[in-house]
Amino acid sequence: MDHSGHGMNMDLPPFTLGRGLEFGGDPFFLIGCLLGLALYGWAVLRLRRRGDAWPVSRIVAWVVGVLTVALVMCTKLNDYGMVMFSVHMVQHMVISMLSPILLLLGAPVTLTLRALPTAGRGSKGPRELLVALLHSRYMRIISHPAFTIPLFIASLYALYFSPLFDFLMQSRAGHIAMMVHFLAVGLVFFWPIMGVDPGPHRPGYVMRMLELFAGMPFHAFFGIALMMASEPMVRTYTHPPLSLGIDALSDQTAAGGIAWAFSEIPSVVVLIALVFQWYKSEERQSLRTDRAADRNGDKDLADYNAYLASLHARSR
């Protein structure tokens, strides 16, 4: 396939990590990352100035999440990803399965709701519009597992194994649109699972784990299919530039290995986050129970002991 329509210098030298991590400066994602950091920082400062705290752990998660997006989209990895399936797969896996988890751990929706001012009575401002959106039928649909899990799976199989992928890869604009789609799908899929920000679909911890494991195996199967293929399966990467010195089938096998291996990373990260949230939830519930007992002088325990005493008296 002719890559001349990509609008980039196709005489790339053989890939090395050092060359891949050189600054590439993709304008769309570069501006987006800078805006993401600036707006988040503004919101945190707004809370701090009025005396409200915001966890440092959430700030760190957001910053690292934005940096992971910048790592794969604002470096030469983005150029190599246009002509090397393996590098493209690194971009895909990071931006769809790692970046969304970190960004969601930053609780951007909660921060926005706390930072935005409340509109006057009878009027609607940005905060009220955001609350209405969170409670809308649209959000109930796109956050439901019956929608998120098939979308997550279709982003792999329906895209890579159809002419749509080759069409998008004919231009930088198409490539950027694809990566925006991957990021959006990852955010939608992991949003109800992480359960950090408010949303219409808030399942229990066990159900969140089931939703997670319902989607992850399909990434592994996808990677295995690429690794076991005896010929290139994606037309865009059938004829890599000679300057790279790579074989298309070997590069596809590497891409499959990356997809297969990466499917385990988000599972571990999300499970750790869910177990920690579950522990903190139980801890808060225990504190509430203790405070209630202090207020009523352990009336519930006294009532229970009286009930046991009555049962014992009846049995005599």
Side-chain angles (χ1 to χ4, degrees):
M1 181 178 179
D2 180 15
H3 293 279
S4 60
H6 289 171
M8 58 176 285
N9 178 17
M10 299 312 300
D11 293 327
L12 291 170
F15 177 80
T16 64
L17 184 59
R19 288 169 180 162
L21 294 180
E22 291 177 3
F23 178 69
D26 183 89
F28 180 86
F29 275 95
L30 180 61
I31 294 172
C33 289
L34 291 175
L35 278 176
L37 292 174
L39 292 174
Y40 195 93
W42 169 83
V44 172
L45 287 175
R46 184 178 175 86
L47 262 62
R48 295 280 174 85
R49 284 172 181 168
R50 71 186 190 203
D52 292 339
W54 186 253
V56 175
S57 60
R58 291 183 175 180
I59 299 175
V60 172
W62 177 264
V63 171
V64 175
V66 172
L67 290 179
T68 59
V69 175
L71 178 69
V72 296
M73 296 307 301
C74 301
T75 63
K76 290 295 184 181
L77 288 176
N78 195 42
D79 290 343
Y80 279 99
M82 297 290 289
V83 291
M84 290 182 65
F85 200 1
S86 56
V87 177
H88 168 85
M89 193 56 64
V90 171
Q91 290 182 284
H92 179 177
M93 293 296 106
V94 169
I95 208 169
S96 69
M97 300 178 71
L98 180 60
S99 301
I101 294 172
L102 294 168
L103 293 174
L104 290 168
L105 286 174
V109 176
T110 302
L111 177 62
T112 302
L113 290 173
R114 291 183 60 183
L116 288 174
T118 303
R121 180 171 296 182
S123 61
K124 287 187 177 181
R127 186 180 188 280
E128 287 69 28
L129 292 176
L130 177 58
V131 171
L133 177 63
L134 291 172
H135 290 88
S136 66
R137 183 180 181 184
Y138 168 76
M139 295 304 291
R140 286 198 298 271
I141 293 174
I142 70 167
S143 65
H144 195 278
F147 177 86
T148 60
I149 295 175
L151 178 65
F152 193 66
I153 297 169
S155 291
L156 278 176
Y157 296 89
L159 182 62
Y160 282 98
F161 300 148
S162 76
L164 179 59
F165 182 85
D166 295 319
F167 172 75
L168 292 173
M169 288 295 291
Q170 289 177 6
S171 66
R172 276 193 176 275
H175 187 232
I176 290 172
M178 185 193 308
M179 290 300 171
V180 171
H181 168 76
F182 288 151
L183 179 60
V185 169
L187 289 169
V188 169
F189 177 75
F190 288 109
W191 175 30
I193 293 176
M194 301 306 297
V196 178
D197 278 324
H201 179 62
R202 297 296 299 272
Y205 291 100
V206 174
M207 186 57 66
R208 292 186 206 176
M209 293 179 185
L210 291 177
E211 289 181 25
L212 173 67
F213 290 123
M216 289 300 105
F218 290 94
H219 270 262
F221 297 153
F222 171 76
I224 292 172
L226 292 178
M227 293 170 66
M228 296 185 65
S230 58
E231 60 183 21
M233 300 177 67
V234 180
R235 190 164 62 92
T236 295
Y237 299 108
T238 301
H239 302 292
L242 295 176
S243 62
L244 292 174
I246 62 172
D247 173 68
L249 186 59
S250 298
D251 189 50
Q252 176 177 280
T253 302
I258 291 167
W260 173 73
F262 222 99
S263 63
E264 303 299 324
I265 296 176
S267 300
V268 173
V269 175
V270 173
L271 278 177
I272 292 173
L274 287 180
V275 169
F276 180 75
Q277 292 176 26
W278 200 342
Y279 167 75
K280 297 299 290 185
S281 175
E282 292 295 323
E283 189 177 51
R284 287 193 296 269
Q285 180 61 40
S286 178
L287 288 173
R288 284 194 292 267
T289 303
D290 291 341
R291 285 196 294 265
D294 291 338
R295 286 194 300 270
N296 61 23
D298 284 332
K299 183 176 182 301
D300 293 337
L301 179 61
D303 291 343
Y304 181 68
N305 288 333
Y307 171 71
L308 291 178
S310 66
L311 290 179
H312 180 67
R314 291 175 188 173
S315 62
R316 295 180 62 181

